């Protein structure tokens, strides 16, 4: 993993950790909560899962072929809901698997860049989010 990619994941993890602590009634950190980071082996793509207690964040999803790898991992971990899906850039390497994953995994919100030029994979993600009523920012 390159230094730039590692730094990107580190920043996103810090951001995600902040999101995990943003519950209205939560004023203290529970020492029993488990925090996990899993980096998927998706060749040239990026995909990682952050788990903060029961809060799940999927950052990028690799290409379309990677959806099987990600779905199998989530199923084996008993994860059927992603609270936040983050797409860091609108290409096949980041958003390629998301449309397929939305067929099997429920998602709370999607954060994605606001591109005026969208490719096929990002357009499919946007369309499916609209159909499923998932908030996309």
């Amino acid at each position: 993993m390159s230094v730039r990619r590692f730094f990107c994941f580190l920043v996103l993890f810090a951001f995600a950790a902040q999101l995990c602590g943003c519950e209205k009634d939560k004023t203290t950190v529970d020492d029993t909560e488990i925090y996990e980071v899993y980096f998927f082996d998706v060749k040239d793509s990026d995909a990682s899962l952050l788990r903060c207690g029961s809060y799940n964040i999927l950052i990028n999803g690799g290409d379309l072929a990677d959806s099987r790898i990600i779905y199998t991992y989530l199923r084996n971990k008993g994860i059927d809901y992603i609270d936040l899906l983050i797409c860091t850039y609108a290409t096949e390497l980041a958003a390629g698997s998301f449309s397929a994953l939305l067929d099997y995994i429920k998602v709370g919100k999607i954060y994605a860049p606001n591109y005026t030029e969208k490719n096929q994979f990002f357009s499919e993600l946007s369309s499916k989010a609209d159909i499923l009523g998932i908030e996309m920012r």
Side-chain angles (χ1 to χ4, degrees):
M1 179 181 296
S2 72
V3 173
R4 181 176 179 210
R5 186 179 288 180
F6 176 76
F7 181 72
C8 237
F9 281 123
L10 188 61
V11 169
L12 287 171
F13 180 73
F15 172 72
Q18 288 294 329
L19 287 176
C20 293
C22 288
E23 297 175 31
K24 290 180 184 176
D25 299 335
K26 191 169 186 173
T27 56
T28 61
V29 175
D30 184 359
D31 291 338
T32 62
E33 283 189 330
I34 296 173
Y35 296 89
E36 294 179 71
V37 179
Y38 184 80
F39 298 99
F40 294 96
D41 183 11
V42 289
K43 310 296 180 246
D44 296 330
S45 305
D46 296 327
S48 56
L49 176 71
L50 308 176
R51 297 191 73 193
C52 306
S54 63
Y55 199 88
N56 298 303
I57 302 169
L58 182 62
I59 302 172
N60 294 336
D63 61 26
L64 182 58
D66 298 325
S67 63
R68 174 173 276 149
I69 295 167
I70 296 168
Y71 173 71
T72 301
Y73 180 83
L74 295 174
R75 187 187 66 214
N76 290 340
K77 285 286 198 173
I79 299 170
D80 60 358
Y81 185 79
I82 299 293
D83 297 276
L84 180 59
L85 190 145
I86 300 173
C87 180
T88 60
Y89 48 100
T91 67
E92 178 184 6
L93 296 177
S97 73
F98 284 157
S99 182
L101 284 173
L102 289 178
D103 289 334
Y104 303 102
I105 302 291
K106 293 178 183 161
V107 173
K109 291 181 185 175
I110 299 173
Y111 285 179
N114 188 12
Y115 285 109
T116 54
E117 247 183 75
K118 295 180 178 161
N119 62 32
Q120 169 195 350
F121 299 98
F122 195 76
S123 295
E124 287 175 10
L125 173 61
S126 297
S127 296
K128 193 163 280 190
D130 285 342
I131 291 167
L132 296 172
I134 300 171
E135 180 183 353
M136 191 164 177
R137 295 181 181 189

